[in-house]
Amino acid sequence: MDLYGRRPEQAALDRILDDARQGDGATRVLWGDPGIGKTALLDYVAESAAADFTVLRCGGTRLESGLTFAALHELLWPVTERISTLPEPQANALNGALGTSSDVADRFLIGVAVLTLVGELADKRPVLIIADDAHWLDEPSAQCLAFVARRLRNEPVVMLLTGHDDPVDGPWEKLAAMEVRELGDEDARLLARSLAPHVDEAVIRRTVRAAAGNPLALQELTTSVAAGDLSAHPLAGEQIAVGPRLRRSFRARIERLSATARTALLLTAADDRSDRNTVRRAGDVLGLDSAAWDEAMHSGLLTTGSDGRIRFRHQLMEAVVYEEAPPANRQAVHRALASVLTGENADELRPWHLAAALEAVGRPDEEVARLLEESADRSWARGGCATAARALRRAAALSPSTDDAARRLALGARAAWEAGHVDVARGMLERAEGISSASTVADLSEGLRGLIEFAHGNLEVACRQLTRDMERVADPGQAFSLGSMALRAAWAASHGELQREALHRLERRLPQGNFPNADLLPLLRAWWTEDQGGGADDRDQVVAPGADILTRLSGSSWLLMPPAPLAVAWGIEFALQEALRREIDMLRHTDQVTALTQALAQTVAPDIAQGSWTLATANALEGLQVAQGIGDDHLAGQCHTGLGWLAAARGDERTVRDVADRTIEVWVPRGVRVFSACAEWNLGMSALFAGRAEEALDRLVRLGEDGHHAANATVALLAAPDTAEAALQAGQRATAEEQARLLRRWAERTEAAWAISATHLVHALLASGADAEKQFRLALEVPGARSRPFNYARTRLLYGEWLRRSRRRTDARIQLAEAAETFRRLDAAPLLARTWAEQELTGQQPRRDSARARARDTPTTLTAQELRVVRLAAEGLTNREIGAQLLISPRTVAHHLANVFPKLGIVSRADLARVDFEDGLRFTG
């Protein structure tokens, strides 16, 4: 193809195709103004790839943007027979999305299924995926293609998309982009001359100036020039940018057509599918004859695709035709289309056409609104929340009754929220509240305003809103969930008075026990009551039930589960961890991305507490990646604070500082004190381990200062051993004694092993002589204390230091050697170095081969994704099963395993059974 002025773009696209032929995939978003030549570049690539690629193509359209998985249906239609070869869950999900079965569409599995299908096609020959006008793709299809696009690096697959804007946000954000710019004057002149070879050069120059480098404008204007009427054209002699004036150019051409030809154009514009038979039958209803269609087809505005559909040559032309038509004409064509629709999508398209017909003349209609609501229900069941939101918004606009309109707006807001469209959800809520009471809207939307405020606003405001909505909603189970979330908001905001108020109002709202999970109310009362004197009753309600309670909660709602720091404080992290691991395994087979991210973020703290730092890092990185992908800052913040703690323990002060600075900057203004508290803890711990006790104390005491932006009772409790140690090193004995009292009260309330052991440890640091040794031994002998290996090793280190200062070097060596082994395994570099120094003072030569040193000297360091792949492979899963769980292709799984085996020094999957993944990738035999 001869494209004027596009040699750089053509060369870049040729390189992408060549790389795919060598096995390396890529994705590009071609963006630029309407008519700038993006589609022409796609046609060039499709022609270049036709001989040796499998080419799959779809295009976004205005009407089909409201139909769930319409674009995916078009894209995969040539290869639908291959769907039956996919694993059964994936095939079922994809068939459900395409409407070829009654299976419920699972958004996550659909993405995996498309990825697997494309990967299998790529096993035979490279694949080229083209999605033109991607900004008009229906939401579920766009999300599916975005999912696939981010996982093509190791596949011989090229995906090209086009849009009007730089993909800095939305589904295509962070994908590689190529801007298609205006043609230079010389290239524009050559194009204009090729289109109108007999026109005077001066007129060509005027045309080039008027088109401002836009190829579509050049084509349209030179067509007018060729017809001899440029002087009469509104753009004659003017230099313009593509925009309103170009639209006026199209309008002028449209107005030269007969009324019946304009109706044919409008009919085509009103039905984005432009199926020839449907459009022709609707034309018959409107009385259009063949002459009208011939005139429309010869206008130069329409074209017929290889699939028989009639299309506008560019969507800009379509928009002008539709927007310039009188409302009565738009109503007539939509009614005609609705009357003739048949086939698999008729039930989905008909309500939209009927709605457009009514909107054209501003008339409400309950029957059409009802049909739209039913369409929304179907889309929601298939995972099309965004489509459902749009349908419900239009249904609300057509509702004669304000009660029905408010209900549909509230439901639509909930759908938009679940689809991640927060601004749309807020707008629909405001409109609903404008025509109905706030209480009614809160009930209909299930307390959505408070949920939005919790995730994106101020936590104190969120707590009050959630508490109010808890009292408004009719369903007691929903009230229980909202009340629990209000408590969580108050806890995360470190607002004790608000937390007590929310708990009191929750108990008053639910005096009866006749709702789901009602027997968990005493449990929540124990978790969220700040009084330190609960004693045996609290232990019986929280610790004793253990795994049974948390397993049950993980199956109902994460809103009812304790935040991970609170679970760690209560000493029930093992039960939480086991429940979360089961939940993660279950969620990997669903499309519940937010729930999966929540589970991954929640499991980081229990993993850290139990010494599974490699797994904690992998889960935090995976959770962070998914959270950022769906725009959930709150869950990303949880993952960041976990990674910051690990960096502090490992001596990576730069990472600690970077994460803390970002955390404080983002979350202090939003009142999320638990995150800023974690950031200060990480900074304090990092300073303590680096020997800067006064700096450490200055940060750590903030955790217990009422009103400070880093104050949080739970974080202050968990950090109490660090605060006490820093205080004693800084000569602030009274502060250390205060930390001892804090730990003792908590230990008496919960009997948590870590709290009892930490209480003895701080008393040992405060004591002297025989009493100090007694407290050290008691700290080490607490049943269950060993389950937190880092804390246990720190106690051994401090005991060893005390023994060495007491001139009991032999005894000190035993404690220090055990501590060094744990710090070495965890790669806790600062405390390992401190232990080595103590060993040398006892006359013992330390074994200086830290995990970090071994990682530099041997190729056994795995990336987070490699670790996830190899762990699943060790469990006996096939490449396809691993890909389905991790949402990558089987080919990518094979690529990771090929990298991992040499790093581990193994040659087969059978050897993986000898690797201990929980203990620094050590071989067990």
Side-chain angles (χ1 to χ4, degrees):
M1 295 179 66
D2 191 8
L3 300 180
Y4 291 93
R6 297 303 185 204
R7 288 187 180 179
E9 292 88 346
Q10 289 173 290
L13 294 169
D14 286 340
R15 287 193 295 272
I16 291 173
L17 292 182
D18 288 340
D19 289 343
R21 292 182 178 104
Q22 301 302 315
D24 295 325
T27 300
R28 291 292 185 278
V29 180
L30 280 60
W31 68 279
D33 290 335
I36 205 67
K38 304 181 293 294
T39 301
L41 286 169
L42 293 184
D43 292 337
Y44 165 79
V45 175
E47 182 179 301
S48 301
D52 57 343
F53 278 68
T54 297
V55 181
L56 303 176
R57 192 164 187 169
C58 68
T61 60
R62 185 178 62 249
L63 186 59
E64 285 196 349
S65 67
L67 296 179
T68 302
F69 293 117
L72 192 64
H73 186 279
E74 180 184 5
L75 182 77
L76 298 182
W77 188 251
V79 294
T80 51
E81 73 281 356
R82 297 294 300 271
I83 295 176
S84 61
T85 67
L86 298 175
E88 185 176 355
Q90 296 180 21
N92 291 342
L94 193 50
N95 282 324
L98 300 181
T100 55
S101 77
S102 60
D103 292 276
V104 176
D106 181 321
R107 293 277 289 273
F108 238 20
L109 279 181
I110 291 164
V112 177
V114 173
L115 185 63
T116 303
L117 178 61
V118 170
E120 292 182 350
L121 291 171
D123 283 338
K124 297 180 173 58
R125 59 191 307 196
V127 176
L128 172 63
I129 298 172
I130 291 176
D132 203 4
D133 287 325
H135 50 279
W136 282 113
L137 295 180
D138 61 279
E139 180 76 13
S141 294
Q143 293 295 338
C144 179
L145 290 180
F147 176 93
V148 173
R150 289 175 168 82
R151 292 160 174 82
L152 295 179
R153 184 174 300 173
N154 298 311
E155 303 280 354
V157 179
V158 173
M159 183 183 293
L160 301 178
L161 310 107
T162 67
H164 291 163
D165 301 312
D166 189 356
V168 295
D169 53 25
W172 320 118
E173 65 178 315
K174 298 184 180 178
L175 294 181
M178 176 191 300
E179 183 180 4
V180 183
R181 297 179 177 273
E182 299 83 0
L183 297 178
D185 285 351
E186 181 58 20
D187 290 313
R189 189 192 68 78
L190 292 172
L191 174 57
R193 174 58 66 191
S194 70
L195 293 167
H198 306 297
V199 173
D200 184 79
E201 185 64 26
V203 176
I204 290 293
R205 286 197 298 271
R206 287 163 53 196
T207 303
V208 169
R209 286 198 303 271
N214 185 282
L216 180 59
L218 284 165
Q219 287 183 327
E220 297 310 311
L221 290 172
T222 49
T223 300
S224 297
V225 169
D229 62 347
L230 180 62
S231 59
H233 199 279
L235 302 180
E238 297 180 17
Q239 184 170 355
I240 63 165
V242 176
R245 298 181 182 182
L246 184 55
R247 288 176 177 269
R248 287 198 293 271
S249 171
F250 295 145
R251 185 192 310 131
R253 293 190 57 191
I254 295 165
E255 290 174 348
R256 289 198 295 268
L257 301 174
S258 67
T260 55
R262 291 200 298 271
T263 300
L265 289 176
L266 178 58
L267 187 58
T268 305
D271 182 7
D272 285 20
R273 290 180 60 85
S274 299
D275 175 82
R276 179 185 290 272
N277 293 329
T278 299
V279 173
R280 291 286 185 174
R281 288 197 303 272
D284 293 341
V285 172
L286 295 170
L288 298 183
D289 56 18
S290 58
W293 283 110
D294 288 343
E295 184 182 358
M297 293 301 300
H298 286 92
S299 68
L301 300 176
L302 299 179
T303 184
T304 303
S306 58
D307 57 0
R309 292 185 181 184
I310 303 172
R311 294 185 174 89
F312 280 84
R313 287 198 299 107
H314 192 277
Q315 200 160 356
L316 180 59
M317 303 173 186
E318 175 186 328
V320 173
V321 167
Y322 190 83
E323 293 166 8
E324 295 297 319
N329 292 9
R330 294 203 297 269
Q331 181 188 41
V333 298
H334 281 297
R335 282 181 171 174
L337 286 163
S339 69
V340 300
L341 281 171
T342 59
E344 58 183 283
N345 290 322
D347 290 340
E348 297 296 324
L349 282 171
R350 187 175 291 109
W352 291 88
H353 280 303
L354 292 173
L358 292 166
E359 288 170 351
V361 294
R363 185 194 310 168
D365 188 297
E366 175 56 30
E367 176 61 19
V368 176
R370 182 185 61 80
L371 291 174
L372 277 172
E373 186 172 357
E374 291 175 354
S375 175
D377 290 341
R378 290 191 294 270
S379 294
W380 209 333
R382 293 170 58 191
C385 298
T387 303
R390 284 193 291 269
L392 286 164
R393 182 167 52 186
R394 297 188 79 171
L398 293 172
S399 301
S401 163
T402 56
D403 289 343
D404 288 332
R407 175 174 56 80
R408 287 161 178 157
L409 284 169
L411 292 173
R414 186 77 189 202
W417 160 253
E418 292 189 11
H421 298 166
V422 181
D423 291 338
V424 174
R426 283 197 184 104
M428 295 179 77
L429 275 180
E430 289 172 0
R431 289 173 56 194
E433 291 168 349
I435 58 177
S436 185
S437 68
S439 178
T440 299
V441 174
D443 190 21
L444 293 170
S445 67
E446 299 180 335
L448 178 58
R449 185 167 292 284
L451 300 178
I452 293 175
E453 189 67 30
F454 179 88
H456 298 275
N458 181 277
L459 283 183
E460 291 188 24
V461 175
C463 180
R464 299 184 191 281
Q465 182 68 52
L466 288 162
T467 305
R468 282 195 298 269
D469 289 348
M470 171 192 71
E471 296 171 338
R472 290 168 170 170
V473 297
D475 178 35
Q478 185 62 35
F480 192 29
S481 294
L482 293 177
S484 177
M485 199 156 193
L487 288 165
R488 181 184 287 248
W491 169 83
S494 303
H495 200 313
E497 181 180 349
L498 198 59
Q499 188 171 316
R500 289 188 292 273
E501 178 188 349
L503 180 59
H504 172 70
R505 292 172 68 173
L506 174 61
E507 293 173 328
R508 186 176 61 189
R509 168 67 176 84
L510 299 171
Q512 305 298 325
N514 57 347
F515 59 90
N517 296 315
D519 58 326
L520 299 180
L521 187 56
L523 177 66
L524 261 68
R525 184 185 300 114
W527 277 338
W528 298 114
T529 298
E530 293 183 330
D531 181 12
Q532 299 286 319
D537 289 343
D538 280 351
R539 291 195 297 273
D540 292 342
Q541 292 169 355
V542 178
V543 180
D548 293 338
I549 289 178
L550 290 172
T551 299
R552 177 177 168 185
L553 286 176
S554 68
S556 57
S557 171
W558 69 267
L559 300 179
L560 300 177
M561 297 181 72
L566 196 59
V568 171
W570 275 93
I572 54 174
E573 70 276 0
F574 180 78
L576 178 65
Q577 187 184 54
E578 289 301 303
L580 289 171
R581 284 181 178 175
R582 286 190 293 271
E583 188 172 9
I584 289 170
D585 290 341
M586 176 192 69
L587 290 171
R588 288 195 189 280
H589 298 281
T590 74
D591 64 347
Q592 300 176 63
V593 186
T594 300
L596 174 61
T597 312
Q598 168 67 25
L600 288 168
Q602 283 280 87
T603 199
V604 173
D607 285 339
I608 288 175
Q610 295 183 66
S612 300
W613 289 10
T614 302
L615 184 58
T617 303
N619 284 338
L621 290 173
E622 182 182 1
L624 181 61
Q625 180 184 23
V626 181
Q628 291 174 335
I630 64 175
D632 195 320
D633 292 340
H634 195 95
L635 296 180
Q638 280 187 261
C639 296
H640 269 129
T641 56
L643 291 170
W645 193 97
L646 288 166
R650 288 169 169 162
D652 185 356
E653 292 199 70
R654 179 175 180 179
T655 297
V656 175
R657 169 63 64 182
D658 290 345
V659 171
D661 288 348
R662 178 180 177 183
T663 299
I664 292 170
E665 178 184 0
V666 171
W667 296 109
V668 168
R670 291 171 59 176
V672 187
R673 292 186 177 180
V674 68
F675 287 170
S676 51
C678 287
E680 291 289 355
W681 181 16
N682 296 343
L683 288 167
M685 186 169 65
S686 181
L688 175 63
F689 293 167
R692 303 190 301 274
E694 291 185 357
E695 177 189 336
L697 182 62
D698 181 58
R699 293 190 178 280
L700 293 171
V701 295
R702 300 173 184 178
L703 305 179
E705 291 181 4
D706 290 338
H708 194 277
H709 73 258
N712 182 271
T714 304
V715 178
L717 178 68
L718 294 172
D722 297 326
T723 308
E725 183 180 348
L728 287 171
Q729 289 185 21
Q732 301 291 329
R733 183 179 179 86
T735 301
E737 290 172 343
E738 182 181 345
Q739 301 304 306
R741 289 191 293 271
L742 174 66
L743 287 166
R744 185 175 64 250
R745 288 194 300 269
W746 187 254
E748 290 171 351
R749 180 183 182 189
T750 65
E751 289 190 356
W754 80 271
I756 298 172
S757 181
T759 301
H760 287 306
L761 173 61
V762 176
H763 280 303
L765 296 176
L766 288 164
S768 60
D771 187 44
E773 181 166 19
K774 174 185 176 182
Q775 292 295 332
F776 275 124
R777 288 190 173 278
L778 287 172
L780 292 172
E781 292 168 1
V782 172
R786 290 177 180 269
S787 66
R788 296 194 180 183
F790 180 68
N791 291 354
Y792 198 76
R794 282 185 69 185
T795 302
R796 284 189 178 277
L797 168 60
L798 292 166
Y799 184 26
E801 290 176 337
W802 182 87
L803 289 168
R804 195 266 308 165
R805 291 194 299 271
S806 300
R807 302 182 183 276
R808 294 168 56 183
R809 295 183 177 182
T810 301
D811 292 336
R813 290 170 186 168
I814 297 173
Q815 301 300 328
L816 295 171
E818 293 289 340
E821 179 59 30
T822 299
F823 295 143
R824 182 184 294 109
R825 176 177 65 82
L826 296 175
D827 194 18
L831 293 189
L832 180 58
R834 179 171 158 184
T835 308
W836 285 343
E838 284 295 320
Q839 286 180 301
E840 289 177 340
L841 290 174
T842 67
Q844 184 181 29
Q845 186 63 34
R847 178 183 154 198
R848 295 182 179 274
D849 59 339
S850 69
R852 186 173 300 174
R854 293 198 309 273
R856 288 194 301 265
D857 297 337
T858 61
T860 57
T861 301
L862 306 185
T863 67
Q865 185 73 316
E866 287 173 344
L867 180 61
R868 288 189 285 269
V869 168
V870 77
R871 284 171 62 89
L872 292 173
E875 294 174 9
L877 275 66
T878 66
N879 286 8
R880 174 174 283 195
E881 290 169 337
I882 295 170
Q885 285 211 26
L886 299 183
L887 313 176
I888 57 178
S889 71
R891 182 190 294 270
T892 302
V893 173
H895 172 78
H896 283 310
L897 289 175
N899 289 334
V900 166
F901 281 11
K903 289 183 179 182
L904 296 179
I906 60 177
V907 296
S908 72
R909 277 173 134 90
D911 293 330
L912 292 174
R914 298 187 295 113
V915 180
D916 182 354
F917 294 99
E918 302 295 337
D919 195 19
L921 297 176
R922 299 195 306 184
F923 285 91
T924 58

